[in-house]
Amino acid sequence: MRILILGGTIEARALAEALGPRADFAVTVSLAGRTAEPLPQAAPVRRGGFGGAEGLALYLAAEKIDVLIDATHPYAAAISANAARAAASAGVKLIALRRPSWRKVAGDDWIEVENVEAAVAALGPAPKRVFLGLGRNELQPFAAAPQHFYLIRSVDPVDPPLAVPHAAYIVARGPFSASEDRELLQRHAIAAIVAKNSGGEATYGKIEAARALRLPVIMLKRPALPEVASVATVDEVLAAIGHALTLSTARGV
Ligand code: NAP
């Protein structure tokens, strides 16, 4: 069975680890190429876009892919939309792994906004010390609010740096614990956090730290994703793959 995993997430890496070494699967992991030095994967890696849904459909046909797993980040809406369209047009089974959102709990002070520009507006005019837990490609709109101090943590260096007078940069790859994030926020006297609702454990530390320190979190709402059959965990994907393999074996494919 030939499988293409659209990756870039912890879950995609775990799937490659589970499926990559098996003789009955030929697995390829597709990475967007956003990270300069991605973590090693337990299956061959393809980097970069496909050229939209049409490009992906052509790739699925040319590589004779049987199952497409969309295990991308919940904010990678373009690739998820492309995956749904391409799988439908190429007649390939699609399994979408949708990591559940974080839910607000008692003590959380979240201001939910539609996009990065709205997050900038939500910071208000008075200078604040702000932690930005966003990807380095999403920072540009904050240049419109240079009165704030920004603490920016990203996997790769922000180059060129954000065009603001007060910013500090941390290059680090998660997971980050609540205690280390709490210490970081206190050390920089942070008053507000901007975050995506990524879900999962790896970046939840800052949300727990914000709760403990009673800091507001300006939370970017998740983008709309195509309505396709989806599962929430790596184990459920593996079960769905096992089911598809049983069916194809029974059909003698
Ligand atoms: P996007 O807006 O959905 O995709 C933009 C383009 O990147 C797509 O149109 C596609 O190009 C290509 N692409 C994205 N994921 C791909 C994959 N797994 N394999 C091959 N090509 C892929 O996604 P994004 O710009 O990467 O990220 C959007 C948001 O997701 C950001 O908030 C980012 O921080 C977050 N995020 C993304 C990843 C990731 O691995 N993509 C990981 C962590 C966080 P074509 O149209 O040419 O096919």
Side-chain angles (χ1 to χ4, degrees), residues 6-70:
L6 302 173
T9 56
I10 288 175
E11 291 85 350
R13 219 163 150 256
L15 282 168
E17 249 163 52
L19 300 171
R22 285 181 51 165
D24 45 352
F25 295 115
V27 179
T28 302
V29 177
S30 158
L31 299 178
R34 303 275 181 257
T35 307
E37 284 184 36
L39 293 171
Q41 306 278 334
V45 170
R46 181 197 176 280
R47 274 171 75 98
F50 294 91
E54 295 73 21
L56 180 54
L58 289 173
Y59 179 93
L60 295 175
E63 296 295 320
K64 299 187 170 33
I65 300 295
D66 300 297
V67 177
L68 174 63
I69 303 175
D70 175 12

Side-chain angles (χ1 to χ4, degrees), residues 6-8 30-32 34 48-52 72-73 75-79 82 138 196:
L6 302 173
S30 158
L31 299 178
R34 303 275 181 257
F50 294 91
T72 51
H73 190 270
Y75 285 69
I79 193 72
N82 291 348
E138 297 156 319
K196 285 183 291 202

Side-chain angles (χ1 to χ4, degrees), residues 134-161:
L134 303 178
R136 63 186 169 139
N137 297 324
E138 297 156 319
L139 302 174
Q140 196 47 46
F142 292 94
Q147 71 274 29
H148 305 302
F149 162 84
Y150 297 107
L151 177 62
I152 298 168
R153 181 169 67 192
S154 55
V155 175
D156 289 307
V158 179
D159 186 22

Side-chain angles (χ1 to χ4, degrees), residues 3 21 34-35 47 55 66 74 97 106 116 126 143 145 173 175 178 190 216 226 239:
I3 298 179
R34 303 275 181 257
T35 307
R47 274 171 75 98
D66 300 297
L97 172 50
V116 180
R173 196 195 295 264
I190 295 300

Side-chain angles (χ1 to χ4, degrees), residues 50-212:
F50 294 91
E54 295 73 21
L56 180 54
L58 289 173
Y59 179 93
L60 295 175
E63 296 295 320
K64 299 187 170 33
I65 300 295
D66 300 297
V67 177
L68 174 63
I69 303 175
D70 175 12
T72 51
H73 190 270
Y75 285 69
I79 193 72
S80 289
N82 291 348
R85 281 178 50 207
S89 77
V92 167
K93 180 178 171 63
L94 171 67
I95 302 172
L97 172 50
R98 303 265 197 258
R99 190 194 290 162
S101 304
W102 296 319
R103 295 288 171 88
K104 221 161 109 167
V105 301
D108 280 333
D109 175 13
W110 290 6
I111 301 152
E112 294 189 85
V113 296
E114 295 293 335
N115 52 40
V116 180
E117 286 73 16
V120 176
L123 289 174
K128 278 197 180 73
R129 295 181 67 84
V130 183
F131 176 73
L132 299 182
L134 303 178
R136 63 186 169 139
N137 297 324
E138 297 156 319
L139 302 174
Q140 196 47 46
F142 292 94
Q147 71 274 29
H148 305 302
F149 162 84
Y150 297 107
L151 177 62
I152 298 168
R153 181 169 67 192
S154 55
V155 175
D156 289 307
V158 179
D159 186 22
L162 193 59
V164 294
H166 313 292
Y169 297 88
I170 299 170
V171 175
R173 196 195 295 264
F176 305 104
S177 71
S179 59
E180 73 183 304
D181 275 356
R182 183 175 170 159
E183 190 277 324
L184 178 75
L185 297 174
Q186 282 181 308
R187 181 153 40 91
H188 289 272
I190 295 300
I193 289 174
V194 181
K196 285 183 291 202
N197 192 333
S198 297
E201 294 291 316
T203 58
Y204 192 59
K206 61 179 179 283
I207 307 300
E208 291 181 284
R211 184 185 309 134

